[in-house]
Amino acid sequence: SQQGEEDPQALSIQEGENATMNCSYKTSINNLQWYRQNSGRGLVHLILIRSNEREKHSGRLRVTLDTSKKSSSLLITASRAADTASYFCATATSGANSKLTFGKGITLSVRP
Amino acid sequence: EPEVTQTPSHQVTQMGQEVILRCVPISNHLYFYWYRQILGQKVEFLVSFYNNEISEKSEIFDDQFSVERPDGSNFTLKIRSTKLEDSAMYFCASSENPLGPQHFGDGTRLSIL
């Protein structure tokens, strides 16, 4: 099964606009995490939301989790050109010794 | 802020040769991982390591792969006899807690000729 599928695959917005990215998954999870990857760099952890949480905020980031629909969304408010990157959701499953299962990622371009 | 460091940043190797990718995880982390990312594809889990032994490995992590923590700071991934399809970015990660956030290095780009 493919865990952690994001949509859209690519998103282009103007600086100052909000960016919303969605992720769906198939199995039960302990938590869901969002990561950012700048071109040629490693992944940077952004935010973690546990399966018993519905919404979480961190700065300009807002993540929601709907376990009944097995989906999550990441909202970046007031986007900046520096937010241009690929964004990945990743699921962590209890009993799986902390393996993360990543989606294919969303390429976000923020035009100045 | 502490970082995970990986060396080399780029490794070019002939098919059939052995390659060792090196990582220095964050010093107080206890859980270590290797992932790979083939160009344009998703990040794939290879192996997790805790308390000096493999916790879990994926189907990709076959007998050609091995991991080792030779001392208190390094964590290595060895591919014994490389194949063309091993060409990818290899990322090392570490975490304080299982199921928690993972901290990634910038990766080693492995090119098999």
Side-chain angles (χ1 to χ4, degrees), chain A residues 1-70:
Chain A
S1 66
Q2 293 189 54
Q3 191 82 327
E5 295 295 321
E6 299 95 339
D7 77 86
Q9 290 189 328
L11 183 60
S12 180
I13 59 174
Q14 200 73 33
E15 204 166 28
E17 293 180 338
N18 296 341
T20 300
M21 291 167 270
N22 302 302
C23 167
S24 61
Y25 57 93
K26 293 188 183 299
T27 65
S28 295
I29 61 171
N30 176 280
N31 65 70
L32 186 143
Q33 304 177 30
W34 285 91
Y35 288 80
R36 184 187 75 226
Q37 184 182 34
N38 289 87
S39 181
R41 304 296 300 273
L43 293 96
V44 175
H45 175 81
L46 295 176
I47 194 164
L48 180 154
I49 186 164
R50 293 183 173 78
S51 61
N52 61 353
E53 296 175 312
R54 292 296 164 258
E55 187 172 314
K56 206 161 180 183
H57 297 254
S58 176
R60 293 184 296 113
L61 305 180
R62 172 178 168 254
V63 65
T64 62
L65 180 65
D66 186 334
T67 52
S68 66
K69 295 180 179 176
K70 291 188 168 60

Side-chain angles (χ1 to χ4, degrees), chain B residues 44-102:
Chain B
E44 300 174 290
F45 169 78
L46 293 178
V47 65
S48 58
F49 191 86
Y50 169 72
N51 200 25
N52 275 323
E53 60 183 32
I54 291 173
S55 306
E56 185 172 354
K57 58 184 180 180
S58 71
E59 292 177 354
I60 302 166
F61 195 89
D62 62 21
D63 292 344
Q64 294 300 313
F65 290 85
S66 62
V67 289
E68 195 177 31
R69 188 153 163 81
D71 53 43
S73 59
N74 291 285
F75 180 50
T76 62
L77 174 69
K78 182 193 291 187
I79 309 174
R80 262 180 274 280
S81 178
T82 49
K83 303 188 278 282
L84 292 176
E85 53 264 37
D86 293 329
S87 294
M89 280 290 285
Y90 287 80
F91 292 104
C92 173
S94 68
S95 67
E96 258 184 296
N97 303 303
L99 301 170
Q102 295 184 13

Side-chain angles (χ1 to χ4, degrees), chain B residues 8-52:
Chain B
S9 56
H10 192 189
Q11 174 84 45
V12 181
T13 303
Q14 291 289 332
M15 187 172 61
Q17 295 296 304
E18 176 183 286
V19 65
I20 297 176
L21 309 183
R22 302 179 192 280
C23 170
V24 178
I26 294 174
S27 60
N28 66 332
H29 286 184
L30 300 177
Y31 300 85
F32 314 115
Y33 318 86
W34 284 100
Y35 294 85
R36 80 172 186 192
Q37 185 179 33
I38 294 171
L39 187 63
Q41 298 188 24
K42 62 170 71 177
V43 175
E44 300 174 290
F45 169 78
L46 293 178
V47 65
S48 58
F49 191 86
Y50 169 72
N51 200 25
N52 275 323

